PDB file of all heavy atoms in Angstrom:
ATOM      1  N   THR B 331      60.246 -91.915  10.178  1.00  0.00           N
ATOM      2  CA  THR B 331      60.657 -90.819   9.313  1.00  0.00           C
ATOM      3  C   THR B 331      61.049 -91.313   7.931  1.00  0.00           C
ATOM      4  O   THR B 331      60.664 -90.758   6.910  1.00  0.00           O
ATOM      5  CB  THR B 331      61.841 -90.076   9.931  1.00  0.00           C
ATOM      6  OG1 THR B 331      61.615 -90.000  11.320  1.00  0.00           O
ATOM      7  CG2 THR B 331      61.972 -88.705   9.342  1.00  0.00           C
ATOM      8  N   VAL B 334      58.126 -92.161   5.792  1.00  0.00           N
ATOM      9  CA  VAL B 334      57.404 -90.979   5.371  1.00  0.00           C
ATOM     10  C   VAL B 334      58.172 -90.233   4.291  1.00  0.00           C
ATOM     11  O   VAL B 334      57.605 -89.765   3.289  1.00  0.00           O
ATOM     12  CB  VAL B 334      57.116 -90.059   6.578  1.00  0.00           C
ATOM     13  CG1 VAL B 334      56.498 -88.756   6.120  1.00  0.00           C
ATOM     14  CG2 VAL B 334      56.212 -90.758   7.547  1.00  0.00           C
ATOM     15  N   VAL B 335      59.446 -90.138   4.499  1.00  0.00           N
ATOM     16  CA  VAL B 335      60.257 -89.427   3.495  1.00  0.00           C
ATOM     17  C   VAL B 335      60.179 -90.141   2.155  1.00  0.00           C
ATOM     18  O   VAL B 335      60.029 -89.517   1.106  1.00  0.00           O
ATOM     19  CB  VAL B 335      61.731 -89.343   3.961  1.00  0.00           C
ATOM     20  CG1 VAL B 335      62.607 -88.833   2.833  1.00  0.00           C
ATOM     21  CG2 VAL B 335      61.834 -88.426   5.156  1.00  0.00           C
ATOM     22  N   SER B 366      52.182 -87.771   9.728  1.00  0.00           N
ATOM     23  CA  SER B 366      53.451 -87.571  10.451  1.00  0.00           C
ATOM     24  C   SER B 366      53.199 -86.855  11.761  1.00  0.00           C
ATOM     25  O   SER B 366      53.861 -87.088  12.768  1.00  0.00           O
ATOM     26  CB  SER B 366      54.432 -86.794   9.584  1.00  0.00           C
ATOM     27  OG  SER B 366      53.914 -85.527   9.339  1.00  0.00           O
ATOM     28  N   LEU B 371      56.299 -87.547  14.449  1.00  0.00           N
ATOM     29  CA  LEU B 371      57.579 -87.777  13.792  1.00  0.00           C
ATOM     30  C   LEU B 371      58.511 -86.575  13.923  1.00  0.00           C
ATOM     31  O   LEU B 371      59.598 -86.580  13.386  1.00  0.00           O
ATOM     32  CB  LEU B 371      57.332 -88.069  12.311  1.00  0.00           C
ATOM     33  CG  LEU B 371      56.734 -89.444  12.060  1.00  0.00           C
ATOM     34  CD1 LEU B 371      56.554 -89.666  10.583  1.00  0.00           C
ATOM     35  CD2 LEU B 371      57.597 -90.537  12.668  1.00  0.00           C
ATOM     36  N   GLY B 372      58.016 -85.585  14.614  1.00  0.00           N
ATOM     37  CA  GLY B 372      58.910 -84.456  14.837  1.00  0.00           C
ATOM     38  C   GLY B 372      58.658 -83.336  13.843  1.00  0.00           C
ATOM     39  O   GLY B 372      57.994 -83.504  12.828  1.00  0.00           O
ATOM     40  N   GLN B 373      59.192 -82.191  14.195  1.00  0.00           N
ATOM     41  CA  GLN B 373      58.891 -80.995  13.390  1.00  0.00           C
ATOM     42  C   GLN B 373      59.651 -80.991  12.077  1.00  0.00           C
ATOM     43  O   GLN B 373      59.212 -80.392  11.105  1.00  0.00           O
ATOM     44  CB  GLN B 373      59.267 -79.738  14.193  1.00  0.00           C
ATOM     45  CG  GLN B 373      58.589 -79.636  15.528  1.00  0.00           C
ATOM     46  CD  GLN B 373      57.074 -79.499  15.399  1.00  0.00           C
ATOM     47  OE1 GLN B 373      56.579 -79.185  14.322  1.00  0.00           O
ATOM     48  NE2 GLN B 373      56.341 -79.766  16.480  1.00  0.00           N
ATOM     49  N   GLY B 374      60.759 -81.633  12.091  1.00  0.00           N
ATOM     50  CA  GLY B 374      61.582 -81.595  10.873  1.00  0.00           C
ATOM     51  C   GLY B 374      60.825 -82.078   9.669  1.00  0.00           C
ATOM     52  O   GLY B 374      60.732 -81.378   8.655  1.00  0.00           O
ATOM     53  N   ILE B 375      60.252 -83.240   9.816  1.00  0.00           N
ATOM     54  CA  ILE B 375      59.531 -83.825   8.678  1.00  0.00           C
ATOM     55  C   ILE B 375      58.315 -82.992   8.331  1.00  0.00           C
ATOM     56  O   ILE B 375      57.968 -82.807   7.174  1.00  0.00           O
ATOM     57  CB  ILE B 375      59.150 -85.292   9.006  1.00  0.00           C
ATOM     58  CG1 ILE B 375      58.646 -85.989   7.758  1.00  0.00           C
ATOM     59  CG2 ILE B 375      58.118 -85.369  10.096  1.00  0.00           C
ATOM     60  CD1 ILE B 375      59.729 -86.348   6.831  1.00  0.00           C
ATOM     61  N   LEU B 376      57.693 -82.448   9.362  1.00  0.00           N
ATOM     62  CA  LEU B 376      56.509 -81.623   9.137  1.00  0.00           C
ATOM     63  C   LEU B 376      56.860 -80.399   8.306  1.00  0.00           C
ATOM     64  O   LEU B 376      56.175 -80.040   7.343  1.00  0.00           O
ATOM     65  CB  LEU B 376      55.938 -81.206  10.489  1.00  0.00           C
ATOM     66  CG  LEU B 376      54.477 -80.794  10.483  1.00  0.00           C
ATOM     67  CD1 LEU B 376      53.607 -81.918   9.978  1.00  0.00           C
ATOM     68  CD2 LEU B 376      54.047 -80.371  11.873  1.00  0.00           C
ATOM     69  N   VAL B 377      57.957 -79.809   8.684  1.00  0.00           N
ATOM     70  CA  VAL B 377      58.403 -78.612   7.930  1.00  0.00           C
ATOM     71  C   VAL B 377      58.649 -78.995   6.483  1.00  0.00           C
ATOM     72  O   VAL B 377      58.223 -78.295   5.549  1.00  0.00           O
ATOM     73  CB  VAL B 377      59.675 -78.044   8.569  1.00  0.00           C
ATOM     74  CG1 VAL B 377      60.290 -76.979   7.665  1.00  0.00           C
ATOM     75  CG2 VAL B 377      59.365 -77.452   9.922  1.00  0.00           C
ATOM     76  N   LYS B 378      59.278 -80.108   6.330  1.00  0.00           N
ATOM     77  CA  LYS B 378      59.596 -80.575   4.989  1.00  0.00           C
ATOM     78  C   LYS B 378      58.324 -80.744   4.159  1.00  0.00           C
ATOM     79  O   LYS B 378      58.221 -80.305   3.010  1.00  0.00           O
ATOM     80  CB  LYS B 378      60.339 -81.899   5.111  1.00  0.00           C
ATOM     81  CG  LYS B 378      60.609 -82.581   3.813  1.00  0.00           C
ATOM     82  CD  LYS B 378      61.969 -82.243   3.297  1.00  0.00           C
ATOM     83  CE  LYS B 378      62.217 -82.909   1.967  1.00  0.00           C
ATOM     84  NZ  LYS B 378      63.214 -82.220   1.192  1.00  0.00           N
ATOM     85  N   ILE B 379      57.346 -81.386   4.811  1.00  0.00           N
ATOM     86  CA  ILE B 379      56.107 -81.629   4.083  1.00  0.00           C
ATOM     87  C   ILE B 379      55.406 -80.320   3.778  1.00  0.00           C
ATOM     88  O   ILE B 379      54.879 -80.099   2.693  1.00  0.00           O
ATOM     89  CB  ILE B 379      55.199 -82.570   4.883  1.00  0.00           C
ATOM     90  CG1 ILE B 379      55.857 -83.939   4.999  1.00  0.00           C
ATOM     91  CG2 ILE B 379      53.842 -82.711   4.218  1.00  0.00           C
ATOM     92  CD1 ILE B 379      55.160 -84.887   5.932  1.00  0.00           C
ATOM     93  N   LEU B 436      65.934 -84.945   9.379  1.00  0.00           N
ATOM     94  CA  LEU B 436      64.514 -84.781   9.622  1.00  0.00           C
ATOM     95  C   LEU B 436      64.044 -85.525  10.840  1.00  0.00           C
ATOM     96  O   LEU B 436      63.074 -85.159  11.469  1.00  0.00           O
ATOM     97  CB  LEU B 436      63.709 -85.251   8.406  1.00  0.00           C
ATOM     98  CG  LEU B 436      64.106 -84.629   7.083  1.00  0.00           C
ATOM     99  CD1 LEU B 436      63.421 -85.336   5.944  1.00  0.00           C
ATOM    100  CD2 LEU B 436      63.738 -83.163   7.076  1.00  0.00           C
TER     101      LEU B 436
END
Side-chain angles (χ1 to χ4, degrees):
Chain B
T331 321
V334 174
V335 170
S366 64
L371 288 181
Q373 303 295 344
I375 190 76
L376 201 59
V377 169
K378 174 94 181 157
I379 295 171
L436 306 170

